[in-house]
Amino acid sequence: MKRIILLICLLMLVFGGLFAEGQKEVTFPNKPVTIVCPWSAGGGTDRTARFIADLLSAELGQPVQVVNKTGGAGAVGHNAAATAAPDGYTLGNLTFEVNTLKYLGYSDITPADFKSVLQFNQDAAAVTVSADSPYNTVKELLEAVKKEPAGTFVFSGSGIGTVWDLARIAMLDKYGIDPNRVKYVPSQGAAPAITELLGNHVDVITCSYPEVAPQVEAGKLKTLAVMADERNPQFADIPTLKEQGIDWSYGTWRGFAVPDDTPDDVLKVLQDAMKKVVESKEYIDFMNSNGFGIEIRIGAEFDSYMMEQFAGLADIFELAGYGN
Amino acid sequence: MFKRLNVEIVIGLLCIAPGILVLILTRSFPAGAASNMQLSGPAFFPNVLSIILIIMGLLQLGQGILRKTENAEGSVRNALKVLSRPASVTLIITILLIAFYIAAVERLGFFVTSYLFLFLLLWRLKVVWWKSLLTALIFLAVIYLIFAKVFMISLPAGILM
Amino acid sequence: MDAFLSVFNISVLVPWLLAMVLGIFVGGIPGLTATMAVALIVPLTYHMAPIAGLAMIIGVSFTSIFAGDIPATFLRVPGTPASGAAVLDGYEMNKQGLGSLAISLDLVCSSIGGVIGILILIFISPVLAGFALKFTHFEYFWLGVMGLSMSAVISKGSKTKGVISMVLGVLVSTIGIDIATGYPRFAFKNAELMGGISFIPVMIGLFGISEVFRSLQNLENLSESAVGIRISTSFKAVWKLVIKHFRLILQSSILGNLIGALPGAGADIAAWVAYGAAKRTSKNSDKFGKGCVEGVIAPTSANNAALGGTWIPALVFGIPGDTITSIVLGAMLMYGLKPGPLIFEGERFLINQIFSVGIISQFFLLFIGYLGIKAYTQIFKFPRNVVYAGIILFSIVGSYAIRNSVFDVGVVLVFGLLGFGMEKVDIPLPPMILGLILGPMIEENLRVGLIKTDGSFLPFLSRPISFVMFMIVVVMFFWDPIKKIIMQRKKAGKGGTNNE
């Protein structure tokens, strides 16, 4: 008898749940929105995502939470974002690495699996050496790389096939140097690479300028160039590669996107809210005080930017000999 | 045959098998991609490990074969006997419940799955049924408060959220 | 002195103490980590004074690393990665009914270790930070080997089985993306496997869940309280032990602090190495692993001292010493501070405030930790069956929470079963954990080091620090035979004098 009562209780519980689900949605959004962040809590991407989530929540009138799905050099998070229900309640916080997953054989996800909301940040790669290095411009450095025997120079910056590694490979190639003339010491992110450079265990690192800025300002390191189209007004005394005659700019970026099958009206709601967020003073102040660059590309513009970059990577991966 | 099969032999075999499996799997690994050395390739380390594992497995195997199995201690049959005790049934049910949790939580959601899981487990562990219902509810409330509210971890939503 | 007094301000004290209480939860619940708590706290601190935010971060990290030892001691469930070594002797003592003594001793040693760690940070951090910068792949490789050789020290019983356990652990650590080449190993196109097997769910499964499984096999007394003995502590007894083993506390804290100061190693490795070193240098090393106080003292002094160590590269060079300090460096930007080498000169007052907070936190830790133990032991008033069910559900939800992944819950189950099986056939578990933690350290540093040297092993031996570390490994390896010879000589000598 007791068991029967129990069973009825349980069944009621389960069906009650099913009925709750049965009610149709009225307007988007009417429940909490989730941002999937492919990088771990406390990192740069996570911090911007959490900051934006707060502002977005005010715009949408619904809670916005950040979920960290980390691992596999971004494969886990990007996979989760691409395969989420296409209802607009799950946003992917895409980063540059979404372009590389297929080439590296980590996942079949490409930018084509997403519909863009917008891009909100871009940070150019910078070439940094120790302060007592004899080279004062990228040209001097690269000439030396050309002249000295292969394997003399040791580069670092981040892991294999990451944005800083790819930026380095293409830079060397643009200057007519075989990327294999230098040794590349893979590291788990920019911080350990900076440590290696400070300890004089490597010669050159490529990573974003804000990451090395404290060391540069303290006179321990010097940044020779940034791989951007124009000088950044925040650190205007650092020349670009283009000024030094090397036609190459590259960097990482962050943006939001939803799965490809998401309805357009839902996407529009998200896009409008997000536009307001990235135009707000709070957002601009936050990015500035953290040293993150602001670059806004909305919808189709962001889509085509990603696809172009994705296509261009085929050559760089070929040069590097990574992946298949 | 079965009589001679003791725990040491089983451990030995259980080491040799994955060792060989790893050696087979690493055959398809590429050579060191960035540089030209064999040593820095991705297969090097797993290969060394699996060879050590196989050697250790052989040592265990040798020990097992040399050992007299007459004394029941350490024989596989003895180990299997333990599994048929009623307590072991509880253990197996617990394991199945965890497996059920893993399979169901993303479909049914955190609340329903956790509630069913806790209730059934408590019940099996001989807590009176109405106490089980209540205890499960309290546990769930505490976990929800700590994880979802304080630590803002989004627990799997399902049919109830 | 002004800096010291300035932290006793209500706007600093309240968030600080709240964060320390939060740390008890973070450490006491498996799966919740201090890193997670800090990431959560940081956005709240943007509108506070920098020192209030930093006090919260320091407070939560010290209490949580201690609180991780509470479930480790009472339930064999390590609450944080750094409390893995605490299950060895702490839990054994608990089984002998000495759980409350073990945890009180643990608390006192934690805060002494913390004080020593901070004192080292205050007085010799520039020297240590410079030393840490000399470490590169070659040295980290030997550090890993040194740690791994501890598995021979800590495992009881058959040597073959110890090696099997260790090799399996290292093998599991090779799953996922290989850092040296970027190749995904044993991943079979699965995104989760690509990310590798995380170490926290493995530890929860291997130690915690397997123990629950084992307990479930002895179904008698299910409705009795989980811990029959009254939880009471005689601080006199604890104090006596602290004085008796003060040299060990000092040794473990210094060792832990040094390891923490290296950007490539943290509190978890510090705890294991200190445990191994304690066993090596102890007179009664055969009692380790059977519930001896020295086995409790060493890891807990070391992991709290290591926290002070992680701030050394962070404050001197602006290089993160671990995940927590890397979040701190990011947060400093939001406070309008420039982390990096300049902060030591430019923000002397703030630095002194940080030091003060670090020291005072250790005293707060004594009180809050004690309350935490008291609160925690309330759960043992519940009947056993309720406690077991609770441990399992908390372990499931906690391991899910680490990276929002059901896959990790599966890892807990698999390693729970594996641990259960391994203990049934007398294969020791700790070497497997060590293998999992140190495997990547050894492999990555060996292979990346070889990339640097074009395949030459020479720098692994020829650099001054790497050579010393290599020698330590060799001596440790041959320690047992050497010790035997010395003992025999001594005996022979004594025998000789007696005869005369």
Side-chain angles (χ1 to χ4, degrees), chain A residues 106 183 196 201 214-215 290, chain C residues 133 136 182 194 317 334 339 452:
Chain A
Y106 297 168
K183 279 185 216 156
E196 285 274 289
H201 306 297
Q215 310 295 339
N290 277 286
Chain C
L133 270 193
T136 182
M194 203 91 66
F317 290 119
M334 284 307 291
K452 254 187 195 166

Side-chain angles (χ1 to χ4, degrees), chain C residues 275-473:
Chain C
Y275 183 89
K279 189 174 173 185
R280 269 285 182 242
T281 53
S282 168
K283 271 178 240 134
N284 32 0
S285 59
D286 47 326
K287 288 197 186 120
F288 276 69
K290 293 172 192 153
C292 85
V293 288
E294 288 161 277
V296 173
I297 292 171
T300 190
S301 314
N303 61 19
N304 270 49
L307 284 186
T310 60
W311 283 75
I312 292 176
L315 289 181
V316 178
F317 290 119
I319 300 167
D322 65 347
T323 45
I324 295 174
T325 42
S326 81
I327 299 175
V328 169
L329 293 175
M332 281 187 170
L333 290 167
M334 284 307 291
Y335 302 148
L337 301 167
K338 291 251 184 234
L342 293 181
I343 202 167
F344 238 87
E345 289 111 49
E347 302 283 349
R348 194 68 229 183
F349 187 73
L350 181 77
I351 296 288
N352 286 339
Q353 280 183 317
I354 293 176
F355 291 160
S356 316
V357 164
I359 295 280
I360 300 161
S361 286
Q362 310 309 322
F363 292 94
F364 288 167
L365 174 62
L366 279 179
F367 292 101
I368 293 172
Y370 185 68
L371 292 179
I373 296 172
K374 281 274 170 216
Y376 210 90
T377 46
Q378 292 304 312
I379 64 167
F380 300 121
K381 292 197 174 145
F382 289 105
R384 271 166 196 273
N385 40 14
V386 175
V387 172
Y388 290 146
I391 297 174
I392 297 178
L393 191 64
F394 266 96
S395 300
I396 288 176
V397 182
S399 52
Y400 173 85
I402 298 162
R403 47 177 196 176
N404 297 283
S405 155
V406 179
F407 177 82
D408 285 343
V409 183
V411 172
V412 169
L413 177 58
V414 169
F415 280 87
L417 287 171
L418 189 65
F420 178 70
M422 280 166 68
E423 285 201 317
K424 277 258 179 278
V425 297
D426 297 321
I427 300 181
L429 304 178
M432 189 171 204
I433 291 288
L434 265 187
L436 193 64
I437 307 176
L438 296 167
M441 185 164 176
I442 295 175
E443 176 179 19
E444 279 171 34
N445 287 303
L446 174 65
R447 290 177 47 213
V448 174
L450 285 174
I451 291 178
K452 254 187 195 166
T453 64
D454 277 327
S456 156
F457 280 98
L458 197 63
F460 284 95
L461 299 173
S462 64
R463 294 163 52 88
I465 302 176
S466 61
F467 180 74
V468 170
M469 295 180 78
F470 165 71
M471 288 312 291
I472 294 175
V473 170

Side-chain angles (χ1 to χ4, degrees), chain B residues 2-16:
Chain B
F2 200 64
K3 211 174 174 186
R4 281 197 64 84
L5 198 65
N6 64 28
V7 172
E8 309 302 326
I9 296 182
V10 174
I11 297 174
L13 293 175
L14 283 179
C15 289
I16 296 170

Side-chain angles (χ1 to χ4, degrees), chain A residues 81-90 258-263 266:
Chain A
T83 53
D87 53 9
Y89 287 105
T90 311
V258 287
D260 201 30
D261 300 329
T262 311
V266 168

